[in-house]
Every structure is written in C-alpha cells, then in structure tokens.
C-alpha cells in the first residue's frame, strides 16, 4: 500500500522520535487513518506511536478532539484554524508529546472555488513549542495521490518538530 519512499521516511521519523523519547498521536480526517496505519506497519512502533484519532466528520472533531462547533462553522473543516485545533486537541486527549493533524479535500468531489480538491491543511504540535502549519495545494491529482502526498508532507513536518 505504501511506497518504499514513504515507508523509509516513516522509519526515519520513528528512529528520530525513539532516540529523543517522543511519543506521537495523529488526528486525521481526509487521510482516514493512513498515517496511523503507516506507523503501525512496523514492529516496535508502539515505542513511538501512542494513538490515532480518525475524525472524519465535524461532530467527531468536536467530540474526540474538543473543537468548538462554531469554529468549524466559521472557518470550515478544511482550514488552518481547524487543523491547529485538531493538533492541540489530539495532544490534550492523549499521552503523546507530539501530534500531527490533517484535514483536507482528497476528491474527487467536495471541492469549491475557494477550497478546491487537493487542498489540505496539516498542523503539528509539540509540548512547549509553537504549532507548525502548512497549507498544501496538491491539485486534483487523484484521491490516492493526494492522500500519499499528504503523508509525505506530514512525516517531514513531524521531523521538524522532533529536535
């Protein structure tokens, strides 16, 4: 399911996290748990991967991560604000010290002129550090391709927060 490139990047992230005693939690929407699945592909991942939240619906973002419903209504589920709050909520609702949140529109439908297919917001939070955010505009390259490109971006973002 995952390319060698993505698998190797994940192994690198896991090694770096293990070395620095970092525990990771994920909060995923458009990737539907793929990042969590990637981490758990490898033996010994429990040293690093604490848990994953799949919060595909807006209600699940509210119930599992504590996002205010009006925030989602005001900004939309696919937004920087929501991605940042998802990352913060994942940290607060886990025993991890680094979180990665993903929300986006993988397609093929669901896009709008303001938020076209391929728009993804990723946020990474770590205790006592500023939350990182990246807005990605992959384009309408196909659902699987958007999701895999998101994983690669997410893993690189985690690497930035580990040191």
């Amino acid at each position: 399911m995952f390319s060698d490139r993505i698998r190797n990047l994940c192994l690198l992230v896991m090694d770096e996290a293990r070395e620095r005693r970092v525990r990771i939690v994920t909060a995923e929407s458009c990737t539907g748990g793929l990042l969590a699945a990637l981490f758990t592909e490898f033996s010994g991942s429990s040293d690093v991967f604490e848990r994953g939240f799949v919060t595909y619906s807006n209600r699940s973002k509210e119930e599992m991560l504590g996002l205010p419903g009006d925030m989602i209504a005001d900004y939309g589920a696919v937004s920087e604000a929501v991605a940042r709050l998802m990352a913060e909520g994942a940290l607060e609702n886990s025993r991890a010290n680094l979180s990665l949140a993903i929300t986006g529109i993988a397609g093929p439908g669901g896009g709008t002129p303001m938020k076209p297919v391929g728009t993804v917001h990723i946020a990474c939070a770590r205790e006592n550090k500023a939350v990182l955010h990246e807005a990605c505009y992959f384009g309408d390259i196909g659902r699987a391709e958007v999701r895999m490109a998101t994983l690669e971006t997410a893993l690189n973002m985690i690497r930035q927060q580990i040191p």
Side-chain angles (χ1 to χ4, degrees), residues 3 9 35 41 46 50 54-55 58 69-70 78 88 95-96 103 110 114 117 120 125 129 131 146 148 157 160 163:
S3 70
L9 182 56
L35 186 56
E41 280 276 303
S46 61
E50 204 271 332
V54 177
T55 56
N58 290 345
D70 58 347
V78 179
E88 291 170 354
R95 295 182 182 270
T103 184
M114 293 298 290
V117 169
V120 179
K129 285 193 170 190
V131 178
V146 167
M148 289 302 130
M157 188 177 262
Q160 291 176 43

Side-chain angles (χ1 to χ4, degrees), residues 46-140:
S46 61
D47 294 347
V48 171
F49 185 68
E50 204 271 332
R51 73 181 72 178
F53 296 97
V54 177
T55 56
Y56 205 73
S57 70
N58 290 345
R59 185 173 210 83
S60 67
K61 290 173 183 65
E62 294 172 33
E63 292 173 357
M64 296 173 74
L65 302 174
L67 271 72
D70 58 347
M71 170 72 74
I72 296 170
D74 291 347
Y75 293 94
V78 179
S79 64
E80 177 178 350
V82 167
R84 286 178 179 274
L85 284 178
M86 286 173 66
E88 291 170 354
L91 270 185
E92 290 171 16
N93 291 285
S94 71
R95 295 182 182 270
N97 51 12
L98 185 149
S99 67
L100 193 290
I102 298 167
T103 184
I105 306 164
T112 67
M114 293 298 290
K115 294 179 185 177
V117 169
T119 301
V120 179
H121 288 272
I122 305 171
C124 189
R126 176 134 186 224
E127 293 174 328
N128 305 315
K129 285 193 170 190
V131 178
L132 297 180
H133 167 263
E134 188 166 339
C136 304
Y137 303 97
F138 298 116
D140 193 356

Side-chain angles (χ1 to χ4, degrees), residues 13-24 47-49 95-98 126-127 162-163:
V13 166
M14 288 174 46
D15 287 344
E16 291 173 350
R18 190 175 289 113
E19 181 179 305
R20 291 172 181 84
R21 299 186 197 283
V22 171
R23 305 267 299 150
I24 299 169
D47 294 347
V48 171
F49 185 68
R95 295 182 182 270
N97 51 12
L98 185 149
R126 176 134 186 224
E127 293 174 328
I162 287 177

